[in-house]
Amino acid sequence: MSMRADGKAASLNTDLSKEEFVMAFNPQRHRRWLLASRPHGEPTGENFRLEEGEVASPGPGQLLLRTVFLSLDPYMRGRMSDAPSYSPPVAIGAVMVGGTVSRVVTSNHADYQPGDWVLGYGGWQDYEISDGSGLVKLGDNPEHPSWALGILGMPGFTAYMGLLDIGQPKAGETLVVAAATGPVGATVGQIAKLKGCRTVGIAGGSEKCRYAVETLGFDVCIDHRAPDFAVKLLEECPQGIDRKSVV
């Protein structure tokens, strides 16, 4: 929630046009979550620090972005650790990383105008100063801007390429999908059904398994927390599982 110049509340309504967004927005404060320490096991609130301050002004060739949607993804836990990985760790005292869909508040960049929707990597903060590097325009009035972080973004791309380019499923095959109700797994299962596969999902808890079958269309879903998980998996896949088939 932000405040108008007249003191009235202005929400981050995704239906606002460029002109309405610019008129409604008057940045008041900037909040950002920093990594305060490296977690051991499950992260806790003590591993993060909330800072508040003034909203910075963009310099020449820069633009000020207001975060509207932030994607919280499993890879973030790995970025909190300084163990060797495919991606560098978040530095202590730095803003936590994360994919974002934002709108341009003010711009000194020729390619961006106030009100523009962009996909970026602003992280856990209200505002970001950007020079335009790495930003992707989402059009003037995207119908579902958050989809750029989901089905039309990194999770969707991961599911599509992982299954079709690497897994290369064939009609009639059985595909086992771990984390079947997550954004990647849910997409993999639905693509596999379109390709004529029998789909076996794995998820934690009866509610998730019910969702996988009734909503996502998996043929069956097995609760990995159940004591007879191994038995159930063997019943559904009596010939075993080709490791390439597990996404």
Side-chain angles (χ1 to χ4, degrees):
M1 185 75 71
S2 66
M3 299 300 293
R4 296 176 186 264
D6 59 8
K8 296 180 180 179
S11 69
L12 292 177
N13 191 326
T14 58
D15 295 329
L16 292 178
S17 67
K18 279 188 178 183
E19 294 75 16
E20 291 170 334
F21 177 80
V22 173
M23 290 291 291
F25 231 81
N26 179 27
Q28 295 291 322
R29 63 172 183 165
H30 176 41
R31 300 168 299 176
R32 59 182 194 160
W33 284 97
L34 312 180
L35 183 65
S37 61
R38 304 209 181 276
H40 298 282
E42 184 175 344
T44 68
E46 295 180 353
N47 299 126
F48 305 96
R49 183 174 73 253
L50 175 63
E51 284 190 352
E52 297 190 27
E54 296 183 355
V55 179
S57 298
Q62 295 182 328
L63 55 153
L64 174 65
L65 300 176
R66 175 59 163 103
T67 301
V68 180
F69 297 102
L70 166 66
S71 180
L72 298 178
D73 301 289
Y75 76 83
M76 291 178 176
R77 177 61 184 85
R79 298 293 300 276
M80 297 176 195
S81 170
D82 58 0
S85 177
Y86 65 90
S87 189
V90 175
I92 299 298
V95 175
M96 267 301 301
V97 298
T100 51
V101 167
S102 307
R103 298 195 78 172
V104 178
V105 179
T106 55
S107 176
N108 297 321
H109 194 297
D111 295 336
Y112 298 92
Q113 302 300 317
D116 283 351
W117 285 93
V118 296
L119 171 67
Y121 207 62
W124 297 15
Q125 56 184 346
D126 285 328
Y127 295 92
E128 178 194 11
I129 296 292
S130 171
D131 63 1
S133 300
L135 297 182
V136 177
K137 289 187 176 182
L138 300 178
D140 290 341
N141 295 292
E143 185 174 356
H144 300 287
S146 67
W147 288 9
L149 296 170
I151 190 66
L152 299 181
M154 180 268 289
F157 180 77
T158 301
Y160 184 90
M161 294 301 297
L163 180 61
L164 299 183
D165 189 62
I166 299 175
Q168 300 180 6
K170 298 177 178 60
E173 291 183 331
T174 294
L175 183 78
V176 177
V177 183
T181 57
V184 176
T187 306
V188 166
Q190 293 175 82
I191 295 175
K193 290 300 295 182
L194 293 174
K195 292 296 183 179
C197 294
R198 175 176 176 268
T199 53
V200 176
I202 298 175
S206 59
E207 184 177 354
K208 287 185 177 181
C209 285
R210 183 167 54 252
Y211 174 77
V213 174
E214 297 178 359
T215 302
L216 300 178
F218 279 82
D219 292 290
V220 66
C221 185
I222 306 172
D223 181 359
H224 66 72
R225 297 174 182 168
D228 60 348
F229 167 68
V231 174
K232 293 292 187 183
L233 185 59
L234 182 60
E235 290 177 354
E236 298 298 337
C237 306
Q239 297 180 352
I241 301 172
D242 182 338
R243 296 182 67 180
K244 190 172 72 170
S245 299
V246 181
V247 179

